[in-house]
Amino acid sequence: MNQRTRPAGDIHYTGMPLQRAANERKQPRWLAAQRRRDDLQVLPLWRGRNLLDARPTALSARGDAARALLDAAGGEALLGLRDGAPVYAADLSALDEIQVQELVASQLGGAGQFTDLRRVGPLLASAEAALLAYARGILYWHAEHRHCGRCGAPAHSRHGGHLRLCSDPACAKQTFPRTDPAVIMLIELVEPGRPPRCLLGRQAAWAPGQYSTLAGFVDPGESLEEAVAREVFEEAGVRVESVSYQGSQPWPFPSSIMLGFHGVSGDARISVDRDEIEDAQWFSAAEVRTFGEWGDGGDYCLPRRDSISRWLIERWLQRVEAGDCDAAGYCAVQK
Ligand SMILES: [Zn+2]
């Protein structure tokens, strides 16, 4: 596990090393030409898992081997151009385990394993993790949108895998890839004469001791700020007075974007909704510094290093410990 402290501003799964070619991919002739290129690159996926070697590093095929993977794939998407060369994701999920291993062995030499990106994401460079997450996310979207959502007819991939078009000409509904917005928030308790504390909670299903900032999906008809206040009140009974945006993280596990916020409360009372979470507590910076690493199994553990929850907490700790607070003790707002 990478133990370095990630500086604020560096959110994992960001830094995509691709140009997405959003205009070019609408042209069938241009797309056909990309598939014929010698520098064509294909990232294979199987049942939601990316192909990685033991280091771990992403494995991909090029040229004729890449075309062989695309020919065997039940779905594909052009992710974009990397240094001018086309990069595709190929969905090999229709093959059984032996068939996919044989295909990978014949085209790639067989050193890799299909691996859940959520297990190894923190070990990868952010840009590489971003690319693999994108590949996984867009193939998941295809797998979940095989039929038109309006009339139920089969829907077919277009625009290099960035549109599905209903096959019934009378309907012809176009469906574009969707990302579900979720808010995630570090709520800071500001009380006169006391050091600031942050609100962390845990769900019963999590590994023992794991704590995180609170989070939840945005409802239809709701602003992001309203979603932050609602979720914090629903889960922990805490009233949030002000909310400010901090940063975002693609989280295609399977299809979210995490929108990170900082909120302030002046009331320490907590009332946990046990249907939503198991526990929520206020923790000072000094207390959070005693937490173990995710997966270590101690009484209190920080969230995983590749999560925006961890980024929000690290950022808050840095500001509190630097004394970067205003007269009211408000520490983590961007200035
Ligand atoms: Zn339709």
Side-chain angles (χ1 to χ4, degrees):
M1 190 67 64
N2 182 354
Q3 293 295 318
R4 78 189 169 90
T5 299
R6 192 167 290 117
D10 177 9
I11 298 179
H12 213 60
Y13 299 111
T14 64
M16 180 71 66
L18 292 181
Q19 188 253 323
R20 290 184 184 239
N23 288 325
E24 296 96 321
R25 71 192 183 205
K26 295 174 185 169
Q27 303 161 26
R29 283 172 61 186
W30 183 85
L31 281 170
Q34 301 314 301
R35 274 170 138 275
R36 293 192 295 270
R37 287 173 59 165
D38 290 336
D39 56 1
L40 168 73
Q41 185 181 0
V42 168
L43 296 164
L45 279 96
W46 182 69
R47 301 182 186 178
R49 298 177 177 194
N50 301 84
L51 187 66
L52 293 138
D53 66 14
R55 284 181 283 180
T57 304
L59 293 176
S60 62
R62 290 181 188 269
D64 288 338
R67 272 182 285 280
L69 294 183
L70 289 179
D71 289 344
E76 66 180 59
L78 174 66
L79 302 177
L81 302 174
R82 187 175 201 170
D83 300 324
V87 182
Y88 282 78
D91 187 355
L92 305 173
S93 301
L95 304 181
D96 67 27
E97 191 160 8
I98 292 171
Q99 289 171 325
V100 78
Q101 283 174 354
E102 286 176 355
L103 177 68
V104 166
S106 65
Q107 301 302 331
L108 282 158
Q113 258 197 325
F114 286 99
T115 307
D116 184 349
L117 185 58
R118 294 202 60 185
R119 278 188 47 227
V120 298
L123 304 175
L124 301 169
S126 182
E128 186 173 29
L131 179 59
L132 296 183
Y134 172 28
R136 174 179 158 143
I138 194 153
L139 293 185
Y140 174 85
W141 175 78
H142 280 286
E144 295 287 308
H145 291 81
R146 298 184 187 280
H147 292 86
C148 174
R150 182 161 57 199
C151 77
H156 299 308
S157 178
R158 295 286 184 272
H159 295 182
H162 295 266
L163 163 68
R164 288 188 81 91
L165 178 64
C166 177
S167 58
D168 181 347
C171 174
K173 179 179 170 61
Q174 297 183 343
T175 305
F176 295 93
R178 286 286 185 271
T179 297
D180 303 324
V183 289
I184 183 161
M185 44 276 176
L186 186 143
I187 305 303
E188 179 176 27
L189 178 63
V190 177
E191 296 175 300
R194 293 196 62 172
R197 290 183 283 167
C198 70
L199 182 65
L200 303 178
R202 57 168 278 109
Q203 294 179 13
W206 291 355
Q210 189 192 338
Y211 277 76
S212 172
T213 53
L214 303 185
F217 285 106
V218 181
D219 271 354
E222 185 174 54
S223 75
L224 302 178
E225 293 83 355
E226 287 166 345
V228 169
R230 175 184 55 76
E231 283 286 346
V232 172
F233 188 72
E234 282 179 3
E235 294 188 349
V238 170
R239 293 280 185 194
V240 177
E241 294 164 9
S242 66
V243 172
S244 62
Y245 175 72
Q246 303 290 298
S248 68
Q249 180 182 47
W251 196 249
F253 305 111
S255 57
S256 295
I257 180 166
M258 306 303 292
L259 304 161
F261 287 85
H262 177 266
V264 175
S265 179
D267 188 342
R269 286 175 293 180
I270 290 175
S271 173
V272 169
D273 178 351
R274 304 278 170 194
D275 289 337
E276 297 248 0
I277 57 175
E278 182 183 72
D279 186 34
Q281 298 180 43
W282 297 108
F283 296 98
S284 69
E287 288 169 331
V288 175
R289 283 296 184 197
T290 68
F291 281 26
E293 275 298 324
W294 182 80
D296 286 355
D299 290 340
Y300 293 96
C301 300
L302 291 164
R304 24 183 315 152
R305 285 192 167 268
D306 61 346
S307 67
I308 191 172
S309 174
R310 181 63 172 268
W311 181 83
L312 289 167
I313 293 169
E314 298 276 2
R315 203 157 181 259
W316 180 76
L317 289 172
Q318 286 172 17
R319 286 187 176 264
V320 171
E321 289 167 354
D324 191 10
C325 310
D326 65 19
Y330 182 37
C331 292
V333 72
Q334 282 184 320
K335 292 174 183 171

